[in-house]
Amino acid sequence: MKGDSSVMTVPASQQEAGSVMQEETAAGTAKAKPERKRAGRLSEDKRFKIFAGSANRKLAEGICAHVGVQLGESKLQRFADGEIYFQLLENVRGVDVFIVQPTCFPVDQHLVELLIMIDALKRASAGRITVVVPYYGYARQDRKDRPRVAISSKLVADLLTTAGANRALFMDLHAAQIQGFFNIPVDHMFASPVMVSYFRELNLPDLTVVSPDAGGVERARFFATKMQAPLAIVDKRRTDLNVTEVMNVIGDVHGRTCLIIDDIIDTAGTLVKTAQALLDAGAVKVYAAASHAVLSGPAIERISSSRLQEVIVTDSIPLREEALKLERLGKIKVLSVAGLLGATIESIHMETSVSSLFS
């Protein structure tokens, strides 16, 4: 066997806090079970473990630091021809296991790695397997928008389920209806609480939140409501894959600071054209925020030469080397979602409300 090998260490356990007991009344009827309280120290729960693939180990470590456990111990290597070899180095029988693995670049490699990890856990008799996929690859292929094309996001959902995943946790899916592609429970989280906190601290004057296309209006409207700011929309027409043409700005942006809200920045063509359209319409400054910094092809060069003040992204995907240079120059800022995902994982394990994290 050759190739990179990563060894990761695992959670210790934690006793369940607040075990639920059914008390009976004098009449003999059972009272409703109260919701279990979140444990203070999951490190003492022997039935809880987190493992991670190679896609974003730093994020997985941040999640474990928030929860108070260590990464599960495993061995990940590659054969000379590129085949993936994965082995668990500790017992997971009956354990509630979470796998942290965004399917980012190289997408196919990280997806197959995730499938193999799920299979290994299933064959090791894990009690429940939850895949934590902060960035869901193939999410943009969620419908037949042209003749004779695949609905790849549905295919990936089937692969994860068939491999043995019992539950899934995603963040800012490109299309919310992708949840319906799964026949297992899905928790869909949003990075907006982290980003709203950041922009509230910036306290940008005369702020207008902008959706770069009609498909992202709901996401931008939610953000605008939280920021108590007006909403504008950019009418965008896609002429080919990764090729867009900005048509018109709907809404008043003259003399205002604009904040473009999106889920993915890929080649940054849409982002840069949207920013220029806003400036041409009289905007004073333009900021941008997106959950997933894919940043393919000419994205770094486009952002660097654009008139964008700052691009804010999360660490759902690790920044590439070229993007790290822009981060050091202050053009890109990364906000961590490790705490948000960690709190969600805690809620799932302790069977408490996930939606309360957004209240």
Side-chain angles (χ1 to χ4, degrees):
M1 261 178 281
K2 284 188 180 182
D4 297 334
S5 115
S6 54
V7 175
M8 308 162 230
T9 336
V10 34
S13 30
Q14 167 169 33
Q15 289 184 345
E16 292 181 356
S19 62
V20 178
M21 297 179 60
Q22 268 193 338
E23 297 180 359
E24 295 188 355
T25 62
T29 27
K31 291 182 178 178
K33 292 183 179 181
E35 201 175 56
R36 287 196 295 178
K37 293 183 179 179
R38 194 176 300 167
R41 295 171 58 198
L42 284 178
S43 59
E44 294 177 3
D45 191 341
K46 293 180 180 179
R47 296 299 176 186
F48 171 77
K49 294 185 179 183
I50 299 177
F51 289 86
S54 64
N56 197 346
R57 182 177 170 82
K58 185 177 179 181
L59 174 60
E61 290 172 344
I63 292 171
C64 287
H66 175 85
V67 174
V69 300
Q70 292 182 322
L71 276 175
E73 191 177 348
S74 61
K75 180 189 291 185
L76 179 63
Q77 294 179 318
R78 291 189 175 276
F79 289 95
D81 64 351
E83 283 187 13
I84 298 166
Y85 173 84
F86 177 78
Q87 180 186 11
L88 294 162
L89 298 180
E90 59 184 84
N91 179 32
V92 294
R93 187 177 297 275
V95 173
D96 190 11
V97 177
F98 294 80
I99 311 173
V100 181
Q101 175 82 335
T103 51
C104 51
F105 178 85
V107 180
D108 300 342
Q109 174 180 311
H110 288 143
L111 175 58
V112 173
E113 189 179 301
L114 176 57
L115 295 172
I116 291 174
M117 293 177 72
I118 295 170
D119 187 70
L121 286 161
K122 179 179 67 175
R123 296 178 188 279
S125 302
R128 182 176 66 175
I129 303 169
T130 301
V131 290
V132 181
V133 187
Y135 171 69
Y136 185 73
Y138 290 102
R140 286 170 285 183
Q141 299 180 48
D142 63 325
R143 65 196 184 281
K144 284 192 68 173
D145 55 352
R146 297 183 184 186
R148 299 171 296 280
V149 297
I151 304 180
S152 304
S153 55
K154 166 60 175 168
L155 173 61
V156 172
D158 290 341
L159 287 171
L160 292 173
T161 307
T162 303
N166 304 117
R167 193 179 189 101
L169 168 58
F170 303 117
M171 192 181 77
D172 279 311
L173 287 168
H174 184 65
Q177 61 265 26
I178 291 174
Q179 297 172 80
F181 292 169
F182 289 83
N183 292 322
I184 58 176
V186 172
D187 290 293
H188 185 202
M189 303 302 290
F190 302 92
S192 52
V194 176
M195 291 190 171
V196 166
S197 296
Y198 176 77
F199 283 106
R200 279 177 176 167
E201 290 178 5
L202 279 187
N203 195 25
L204 299 173
D206 302 318
L207 180 64
T208 295
V209 175
V210 179
S211 173
D213 53 36
V217 169
E218 185 178 350
R219 183 184 303 109
R221 182 183 291 116
F222 175 83
F223 207 95
T225 301
K226 291 293 183 181
M227 296 296 298
Q228 297 182 338
L231 176 68
I233 304 168
V234 173
D235 175 31
K236 179 187 74 173
R237 179 177 299 170
R238 186 174 294 278
T239 57
D240 202 351
L241 294 178
N242 291 29
V243 179
T244 58
E245 178 184 353
V246 172
M247 303 298 293
N248 191 28
V249 178
I250 304 170
D252 182 18
V253 298
H254 184 78
R256 300 187 66 83
T257 301
C258 291
L259 170 58
I260 303 169
I261 298 294
D262 211 347
D263 62 325
I264 299 172
I265 300 176
D266 191 353
T267 61
T270 296
L271 178 64
V272 170
K273 288 179 180 179
T274 300
Q276 189 57 52
L278 293 170
L279 290 166
D280 291 344
V284 178
K285 292 181 180 179
V286 179
Y287 292 77
S291 304
H292 312 299
V294 176
L295 302 179
S296 307
I300 301 302
E301 183 181 349
R302 285 173 173 172
I303 292 173
S304 178
S305 58
S306 72
R307 294 171 61 189
L308 285 161
Q309 294 293 313
E310 190 177 41
V311 177
I312 292 84
V313 297
T314 76
D315 57 354
S316 65
I317 298 176
L319 288 185
R320 302 190 192 184
E321 188 59 40
E322 299 83 359
L324 289 173
K325 296 176 183 176
L326 284 186
E327 184 186 19
R328 289 191 286 268
L329 293 173
K331 193 82 171 181
I332 292 179
K333 183 172 181 61
V334 180
L335 304 178
S336 180
V337 291
L340 179 63
L341 291 174
T344 308
I345 288 172
E346 280 186 293
S347 291
I348 293 172
H349 175 65
M350 299 306 301
E351 299 177 6
T352 57
S353 172
V354 171
S355 60
S356 63
L357 298 173
F358 292 95
S359 59

